[in-house]
Amino acid sequence: DTGVSQDPRHKITKRGQNVTFRCDPISEHNRLYWYRQTLGQGPEFLTYFQNEAQLEKSRLLSDRFSAERPKGSFSTLEIQRTEQGDSAMYLCASSLGGVGYTFGSGTRLTVV
Amino acid sequence: QQQVKQSPQSLIVQKGGIPIINCAYENTAFDYFPWYQQFPGKGPALLIAIRPDVSEKKEGRFTISFNKSAKQFSLHIMDSQPGDSATYFCAAAIIQGGSEKLVFGKGTKLTVNP
C-alpha cells in the first residue's frame, strides 16, 4: 500500500495521559500535514512540515501538542495531559508540493 | 469565524438525480477551491478542484461551478449513484501566499437512494 499510513487507528486513553500518533507519508512526498476533525465538522488545520522543517502552526496547537518530523520522513504528533476536548479524529496528509493532499485514514482518539 | 460556509448539512436524492452542494467564502484572497469526499472511517479524498480564473470545471460526473463576484462555488454530481453516498467537504486555500493550509466547510452528508 503506497498511501498515507497512520498508527494507531484507534486510541482510548484516560484524561491526563500522554498519547503519541505516527504518520508515514507517501515516500516521495516532501510535505506533511496534520489536521483534526471532530464529529460533524470539517477537518481543521493543525500544522505542516516541508521536509523536516515545521513551517506553519495553528493556534489550535496548544502547548500540550507537539509535532515532529525527524529526517523529513515519518511524523509524530504528541498530546500531553490529554483532555476530553481532545477527543477527535487526527488526520495526516502528504503532498509533493502544493495543496493536492492525500489524506490517511486517521487516528481516532477517545479521552475518557 | 467560519471562513467557508457549506449547505445543505444533509441531502437525500434518488439514483440518477443531480445533487448540488453549495459553499460560500468570505476571504477574497482564497485562490484554490477543492472538494473532498469522505466515507465513514476513511480520510477525505480529493475529488476535483478549481482556481478562480475559471467559472466551471468538469471531471467525469463531478462539476464545480464558480462565481467569483458572489464568492460562491458549488458541486454538482451528475447521474448520482448509491456509491456516491458519502460526506462531501468544500475547502479553500491561499496558495499564492505560500500557505498550504486548507480551510474546510462543515460538510454535507449525501444519501443516494437506489
Side-chain angles (χ1 to χ4, degrees):
Chain A
D1 188 346
T2 58
V4 177
S5 176
Q6 291 189 246
D7 183 70
R9 291 296 311 276
H10 303 274
K11 178 73 176 178
I12 300 174
T13 191
K14 292 183 178 179
R15 188 176 54 182
Q17 297 294 305
N18 298 344
V19 295
T20 300
F21 311 139
R22 177 181 171 121
C23 172
D24 287 273
I26 293 172
S27 58
E28 64 268 27
H29 285 184
N30 61 347
R31 286 164 166 80
L32 186 147
Y33 313 84
W34 285 98
Y35 281 74
R36 182 173 72 182
Q37 185 176 23
T38 53
L39 202 61
Q41 302 293 318
E44 294 175 292
F45 173 81
L46 292 177
T47 188
Y48 100 91
F49 294 84
Q50 181 172 327
N51 299 312
E52 66 273 13
Q54 188 172 19
L55 295 187
E56 190 171 352
K57 292 169 62 173
S58 163
R59 58 180 172 77
L60 292 175
L61 213 67
S62 74
D63 56 4
R64 296 186 298 106
F65 288 70
S66 63
E68 294 182 342
R69 193 184 182 197
K71 302 179 183 177
S73 55
F74 71 92
S75 176
T76 58
L77 178 67
E78 180 183 17
I79 309 174
Q80 296 182 329
R81 306 181 303 281
T82 52
E83 302 172 356
Q84 286 191 322
D86 297 331
S87 295
M89 175 78 83
Y90 289 85
L91 293 163
C92 176
S94 69
S95 76
L96 187 60
V99 288
Y101 302 172
T102 299
F103 278 93
S105 292
T107 293
R108 180 164 294 284
L109 173 66
T110 302
V111 182
V112 298
Chain B
Q1 180 185 10
Q2 185 185 354
Q3 294 191 60
V4 179
K5 294 183 179 179
Q6 184 171 346
S7 63
Q9 197 171 5
S10 63
L11 187 55
I12 300 173
V13 299
Q14 293 299 120
K15 177 182 174 182
I18 305 175
I20 300 172
I21 305 170
N22 301 298
C23 283
Y25 62 97
E26 299 164 359
N27 190 343
T28 55
F30 286 139
D31 57 6
Y32 175 77
F33 302 89
W35 284 89
Y36 282 81
Q37 179 190 58
Q38 186 175 31
F39 293 105
K42 298 290 187 182
L46 179 63
L47 267 179
I48 185 172
I50 197 167
R51 300 293 299 273
D53 52 345
V54 297
S55 60
E56 185 175 280
K57 183 174 181 180
K58 182 180 293 187
E59 285 185 5
R61 295 185 294 110
F62 300 94
T63 299
I64 299 179
S65 297
F66 187 83
N67 185 330
K68 188 175 180 178
S69 61
K71 294 187 287 185
Q72 295 175 347
F73 59 111
S74 60
L75 177 71
H76 302 230
I77 306 175
M78 308 301 289
D79 187 28
S80 58
Q81 301 296 313
D84 296 328
S85 297
T87 299
Y88 292 81
F89 294 95
C90 61
I94 309 172
I95 60 174
Q96 291 288 352
S99 172
E100 301 185 3
K101 175 179 72 175
L102 283 173
V103 178
F104 283 84
K106 290 190 174 184
T108 296
K109 184 176 181 181
L110 172 66
T111 303
V112 181
N113 289 325

